Each structure stands twice: as structure tokens, then as C-alpha cells.
Amino acid sequence: MHHPQLPLSARAARTAAVGAIAALSLTACSPTVDVTAAKDAANPACAPMMVALPDAIGDSKLRKTNSQATAAWGDPSLVILRCGVNVPGPTTDRCVTVNGIDWVIKEGDPVWTLTTYGREPATEVLMDPDKISSATVLADLAAAAGKVPSSRNCVGQEDLQNLPKSQ
């Protein structure tokens, strides 16, 4: 049985169509993540951080989101980031410093909310500690979060013990 040879332009078009279908099927596996933008997402101070975000956190790859100043890693999403959230004021919530970045941690069940402290605008990270380590998340985001300048730092119990006594 003899198959006629397609002209070169037809073979190129068929190859391009097969490539486009393959690319479409790959992107269909990871749809855009629907993330609600923070109130101050348009703050220009978010931009340097957003362009410095890592391509992966642990083994979770960065994905496309549908809102300004947001990011997501993993499929399904294990980490969601939003720049431009309300700046936390003084709090008794746990505050940790990872690679020079202060984070206020609110432990939910199952999702934890980690918010930069002392940086304006603030950045919020949502994650499930049963699925990805908070230490990994905060270490991998530290360089990017540091692009938003710091104006204050967390104060711990040990800092409060060294205050001068009132007269």
C-alpha cells in the first residue's frame, strides 16, 4: 500500500497543529489559579517582589494566577501569595524571623496564614503545613519578600524583658 507524500508546507502545518494541540493539552492540566487580589494589590511596592518570586517552592512549581500581585505554587495549589494585604499592627500572635524577614503566623485548621511584619504593603501567604513545610515556604520566599523595605521588626518576649523599668 502506497501513501502519497504530503508537500513540505502541508507537513509543516500538520506538525505545527500537532504541537499546538500538545501544548494546549499540557496547559489544560494546570488551569489558571483563581486568587482574589488584595485591597492594595496595585501598590507599586509589590512589583519588585512579584518579579523576584521563585519558580518553585520545594517541589511545587509556580503557576499562573488571574489577579494582580498574586502567585500560586503546586497543582493543586499548596502555597498562595497575595501582596497588598492589610499591614498587621502590634500583635500577640507568634512572629518568626526567617532569613531576615519577619512573619506573623496564624495557625488555622488546616490552612495557616503567614503575613510579613514591618513591611508596607504586607504580603500574605496561605499554606497547609501538613502538605508543605512552613520553613521551606518562608525560606524560599525570603529573598523576594525582602524586596519590600522593612520599617519595623518583631519584638519577642526576650526583648520585652530588657525594657527599662518605669520610675
Side-chain angles (χ1 to χ4, degrees):
M1 188 129 169
H2 175 65
H3 293 290
Q5 194 70 344
L6 286 174
L8 186 58
S9 60
R11 275 187 291 179
R14 186 178 67 184
T15 302
V18 168
I21 291 167
L24 184 62
S25 66
L26 287 176
T27 58
C29 294
S30 291
T32 299
V33 182
D34 185 16
V35 180
T36 303
K39 227 176 12 184
D40 198 19
N43 189 316
C46 286
M49 180 188 66
M50 297 308 296
V51 298
L53 290 174
D55 291 332
I57 294 179
D59 295 332
S60 299
K61 303 282 183 239
L62 181 64
R63 294 175 57 199
K64 288 195 180 306
T65 58
N66 63 351
S67 298
Q68 183 173 356
T70 63
W73 290 264
D75 190 2
S77 301
L78 296 180
V79 179
I80 301 285
L81 176 143
R82 300 182 329 138
C83 183
V85 298
N86 291 335
V87 175
T91 180
T92 55
D93 290 327
R94 185 163 58 126
C95 193
V96 299
T97 304
V98 178
N99 297 345
I101 309 299
D102 289 345
W103 299 88
V104 174
I105 299 178
K106 290 187 189 251
E107 296 180 17
D109 185 19
V111 176
W112 287 15
T113 304
L114 317 169
T115 309
T116 55
Y117 184 81
R119 294 174 192 275
E120 198 167 325
T123 298
E124 171 185 86
V125 175
L126 303 173
M127 51 145 305
D128 180 344
D130 293 333
K131 296 193 166 58
I132 189 165
S133 159
S134 60
T136 298
V137 171
L138 297 181
D140 287 356
L141 289 175
K147 301 291 183 189
V148 177
S150 173
S151 59
R152 343 184 268 291
N153 295 81
C154 288
V155 177
Q157 228 19 68
E158 61 283 354
D159 299 317
L160 296 175
Q161 293 169 357
N162 298 325
L163 292 175
K165 303 282 185 250
S166 61
Q167 300 300 324

